[in-house]
Amino acid sequence: MQRGVYTYKEITTQDNSWAASLKYLNENPPVFTDWLQQSWEQVLFTGCGSTYYLSLSAAAIWQTLTKIPARAIPASDIWLYPESIISPKKTLLITVSRSAETSETIFALDTFKKLSKQDTLAITCYGDRELTEKARHSITAVNAHEQSIAQTRSFSTMLLLAQYISGIAARNEQYLEKLTHIPESFQNLILEYEKVALRIAEDDNLDHFIFLGSGIYYGLASEAMLKMKEMSLSTSEAFHFLEFRHGPKSMVTSRTLIAALLDDKARDQQIKVLKEMKDLGATILAIDEDGKSVPADFIVSINSGIKSIARGPLMLPILQLLAYHRSMHKGLNPDSPRNLDAVVVL
Amino acid sequence: MQRGVYTYKEITTQDNSWAASLKYLNENPPVFTDWLQQSWEQVLFTGCGSTYYLSLSAAAIWQTLTKIPARAIPASDIWLYPESIISPKKTLLITVSRSAETSETIFALDTFKKLSKQDTLAITCYGDRELTEKARHSITAVNAHEQSIAQTRSFSTMLLLAQYISGIAARNEQYLEKLTHIPESFQNLILEYEKVALRIAEDDNLDHFIFLGSGIYYGLASEAMLKMKEMSLSTSEAFHFLEFRHGPKSMVTSRTLIAALLDDKARDQQIKVLKEMKDLGATILAIDEDGKSVPADFIVSINSGIKSIARGPLMLPILQLLAYHRSMHKGLNPDSPRNLDAVVVL
């Protein structure tokens, strides 16, 4: 098999998984809708690696839509330090796992069920495995299975599912309707901007990749950081946008690429950060809804007409392609990252 | 002025700041003790950069001791995305700032006061500045001012204050008593292990520094990561211990140093991670209470007789010295990191 074939296909067809999952949900509304809409006092999202980063984004979206406190915790921390996380409050635990077999996520669910009388939901790509059988309810992505080790279409599709159940919990029909339009913008985005990813990936002057995102996009910046590591073995880091000024910016040189995930709410402040980093010599790649007045060397305009809180799945594909093309440029195989297995089983 | 003089002095005398702060608190118990012990529904800790990392540790300690849900958020996120964080629940916001003048922390406090009828406390090194005047109550570190830009003794002393108020809130006299013994272990630790920091710092075969910590030590691992960047401009990253297996370990080579902050509760699982990383070729520096059976190339034994949840301030000094000596070895000036100012004012 030629290197990278699976990853490339999985990245560039993820809109199919999105559309199929949304179609399925539209035709088969979750049986747990009433259960999900009860008045939880708090919601915990958990996962490992990519799905922990997904949880960071999902928790911020959940709280914004429902007003119910929501936070994300790595599964290993729930398992090993439940006393610092689980409280007597009426809590919903939402576990996210591509394989539905990751040990720590299952241990986190077990720990939570043992120490709390509260309830659990699983978001996965496989509906009939240990995690989904142990959770009270589950929701499964359609057509999102992957042969690659690094998660790409499974990530964005499970993110869409997390957004979907947040919309249900908030009884926000308008939000759910917006989600149905997300697949429409995908193909144009790839057609128009894959060349940007390729150009940056093949620039050997750049060797330090920083991903900046805040609020609901911090988790997505972290996921983009992980893709760069896994596929291309490049130095990559993620920071909350304005946090980057508080120390990490000391590392900026002319070899730094800053990939900025701009959002509607904090855009003015984020643009100030980008100006400062450009003055320090960084190359800037900005991913924005319309790209207007952004001080960047490369701009990806999403043009979705969808607000930040819904358009998350569209922020990632160009960054996934950046990792993919960097991997190919370095002669690596993005399908099979060094040192890694598809599922971590302890 | 010779390079590094301030930083070295601030690192190696931090036990003075700890002892002075504890002595002051012992002789002048906080006037807000009753107020602090009320039944908050949740507690938010916030800061920027180092003090955000401090908040991560402090929130986990607070919840473990008091059973009240506590979490840490970067100040910029509270300021810019309050709807994803602030809820109608009876909340205490604890802001941490060395200067008590950091813009985002003040904006976070202002936002919280505007949107929530709840209450605020400031932890700082200066008692009469904007942040302390705006907060309902405040607590100030003694002898912890710094001339260096990178926080070292101010960090560990404010961490001790955060631990102290957590003990008060939990009415946990035993915990407060344990804290009074923390300064005793410091000088021995430096005397015995500074040479370890020096030896690693001068090893040019190592150029990728990973800091692993979980639960209450994730924030401390993040702070150690930031010191390496700020002082020595070295590639450094922090991860939750077991999270490192879920992707980031793809980056491990024979040039990787893994600095491991072991804790009492998850030690067995953490040792398994270290074994795996050693097999992948990493050099391991373990910081542990007694160092028994730890598969590491270098072991720092704290020998404090104090549990993980209290001994946090003792985990950092050797890692601060590692950053300091790496900086000196590279011919840099740890007192004045590149691109940075002491306070970020927007």
Side-chain angles (χ1 to χ4, degrees), chain A residues 13 42 44-45 56 82 134 140 151 163-164 188 218 245 253 262 264 302 329 340:
Chain A
T13 61
Q42 63 173 354
L44 299 177
F45 282 84
L56 286 168
K134 285 186 162 182
T140 309
Q151 303 189 21
Q163 296 188 186
Y164 193 89
N188 249 342
Y218 174 66
R245 278 205 199 96
T253 70
L262 296 161
D264 305 336
I302 303 280
H329 177 65
L340 300 184

Side-chain angles (χ1 to χ4, degrees), chain A residues 81 229 237 249 263 339, chain B residues 81 229 237 249 263 339:
Chain A
Y81 315 94
K229 274 194 209 324
E237 302 181 83
K249 75 170 181 180
D263 65 69
N339 300 349
Chain B
Y81 315 93
K229 275 195 209 321
E237 301 182 80
K249 75 170 181 180
D263 65 69
N339 300 349

Side-chain angles (χ1 to χ4, degrees), chain A residues 48-113:
Chain A
C48 296
S50 286
T51 57
Y52 165 55
Y53 299 142
L54 191 160
S55 295
L56 286 168
S57 179
I61 291 171
W62 182 288
Q63 180 158 351
T64 303
L65 292 177
T66 66
K67 317 294 177 208
I68 296 169
R71 59 186 292 209
I73 307 281
S76 53
D77 268 20
I78 296 181
W79 167 36
L80 296 165
Y81 315 94
E83 69 287 349
S84 71
I85 299 151
I86 297 174
S87 80
K89 296 195 184 298
K90 183 179 163 59
T91 304
L92 170 63
L93 176 72
I94 300 180
T95 59
V96 192
S97 171
R98 175 174 65 174
S99 67
E101 286 182 337
T102 303
S103 297
E104 288 142 77
T105 310
I106 290 166
F107 298 160
L109 186 84
D110 289 342
T111 304
F112 180 82
K113 282 171 76 174

Side-chain angles (χ1 to χ4, degrees), chain A residues 14 18 21 99 147 164 193 199 218 227 257 315 339:
Chain A
Q14 56 194 310
W18 304 348
S21 296
S99 67
Q147 291 187 267
Y164 193 89
Y193 296 109
R199 190 161 152 206
Y218 174 66
K227 293 308 97 164
L257 178 91
M315 302 301 284
N339 300 349

